[in-house]
Amino acid sequence: MQPYLIVMTRLSVNINKIATLRNSRGGSVPSVVDAAINCQKFGAEGITIHPRPDERHIRRQDVYDIKPHIYTELNIEGYPSDDFLKLVIDVKADQATLVPDKPGQLTSDHGWNTIENEDFLVDVINELKKHGIRSSIFVDPDVKMVEGAKRVGANRIELYTEPYAANYMKDPEKAIAPFIEAAKLAKNLGLGINAGHDLSLKNLKYFVDMIPYIDEVSIGHALISDALYMGLHNTIKEYLECIKP
Ligand code: PXP
């Protein structure tokens, strides 16, 4: 068995929900810039945003407004349309997480077919590489898709963790098994590993304990919901507790 180096998993807070709340009233309250500043002040090691084409939460302008305040890492998620790539390159994000979402999709609900989309993904990733931007490909825990992610030249994969979260309470060992397999393969192929979707204070610790070489988790919905009751500072502290070895 190959020994694994213990990686410090980073917490990237997805602040889309702050933008959703702001947009519900128009105006600028709550401020997404303040959210990015405060999440970092409270210990977040990255900020994630997902500007969708309909701008229903993070808007194009938010990306420009937030970027100068990021001293950790800015991760921008989205479908790699020409517009998306232009934006990511323009602000020089640290990482682009590529998702296969249709324009009006409620939330990301599946990973890429990295085999069928190989040529497209190669072009996108080469473009990101030219600009020194790390690429991460959103995938289901499927070894074929992980192999495909390696072939297209991605730096990292992001494991789509919704199925893990959905099944964790019923049978944690069964829920995590495909993720361990996919993560082991990714590690052996030299890919970095991120994870996200529906991770929460209930299921995060087990996930990171079982896969102690996750580079980054990006968490939005549960974390911002917890912050309503516990406050943002305490909430971030609790999430950090879950991921530290
Ligand atoms: N990763 C990706 C690719 C996503 O689209 C999202 C949701 O925006 C997340 C992670 C975070 O998911 P959640 O909001 O459930 O924590």
Side-chain angles (χ1 to χ4, degrees), residues 181-196:
E181 193 187 1
K184 271 189 182 159
L185 174 65
K187 189 78 183 156
N188 287 336
L189 292 173
L191 291 164
I193 307 164
N194 297 343

Side-chain angles (χ1 to χ4, degrees), residues 15-243:
I15 58 170
N16 286 352
K17 284 277 142 51
I18 305 291
T20 307
L21 186 57
R22 175 199 61 190
N23 297 353
S24 69
R25 264 291 168 102
S28 57
V29 176
S31 154
V32 288
V33 170
D34 286 350
I37 292 170
N38 284 313
C39 286
Q40 293 174 102
K41 190 166 90 186
F42 299 151
E45 295 141 322
I47 297 296
T48 293
I49 49 180
H50 193 146
R52 290 182 184 272
D54 60 9
E55 300 199 311
R56 68 176 182 272
H57 35 67
I58 290 290
R59 300 179 182 134
R60 210 181 159 75
Q61 185 57 43
D62 293 330
V63 183
Y64 291 96
D65 295 344
I66 288 168
K67 176 65 171 80
H69 300 279
I70 304 296
Y71 53 87
T72 54
E73 280 204 352
L74 181 63
N75 173 40
I76 308 186
E77 303 170 344
Y79 179 84
S81 61
D82 289 346
D83 266 3
F84 175 83
L85 287 174
K86 187 178 171 311
L87 183 61
V88 166
I89 290 165
D90 223 22
V91 299
K92 201 156 184 342
D94 297 287
Q95 174 174 272
T97 297
L98 311 178
V99 295
D101 291 3
K102 294 189 188 75
Q105 204 160 310
L106 181 63
T107 184
S108 308
D109 63 1
H110 62 284
W112 284 97
N113 185 326
T114 52
I115 298 167
E116 280 176 13
N117 295 285
E118 183 170 334
D119 292 345
F120 174 62
L121 290 171
V122 166
D123 288 348
V124 168
I125 288 167
N126 282 341
E127 187 61 18
L128 292 169
K129 273 193 184 143
K130 258 199 275 175
H131 295 273
I133 296 169
R134 187 201 303 139
S135 57
S136 177
I137 296 201
F138 197 51
V139 288
D140 297 313
D142 173 333
V143 291
K144 291 267 167 276
M145 298 306 130
V146 175
E147 286 165 358
K150 177 66 181 176
R151 261 198 310 277
V152 300
N155 301 106
R156 292 189 184 180
I157 53 166
E158 179 178 321
L159 291 168
Y160 171 49
T161 48
E162 190 277 338
Y164 161 74
N167 295 308
Y168 169 76
M169 289 302 208
K170 274 178 266 166
D171 188 342
E173 270 180 51
K174 196 167 162 202
I176 196 122
F179 290 86
I180 293 177
E181 193 187 1
K184 271 189 182 159
L185 174 65
K187 189 78 183 156
N188 287 336
L189 292 173
L191 291 164
I193 307 164
N194 297 343
H197 224 290
D198 293 291
L199 294 175
S200 71
L201 287 176
K202 288 198 182 83
N203 58 40
L204 179 60
K205 182 164 169 43
Y206 183 74
F207 192 83
V208 176
D209 282 352
M210 297 303 286
I211 311 175
Y213 41 88
I214 297 282
D215 291 288
E216 177 184 289
V217 286
S218 76
I219 308 182
H221 187 81
L223 189 152
I224 300 298
S225 303
D226 289 336
L228 291 175
Y229 297 99
M230 302 194 291
L232 192 55
H233 196 168
N234 286 335
T235 300
I236 289 177
K237 228 164 69 187
E238 294 220 4
Y239 277 80
L240 287 172
E241 282 294 314
C242 292
I243 61 174

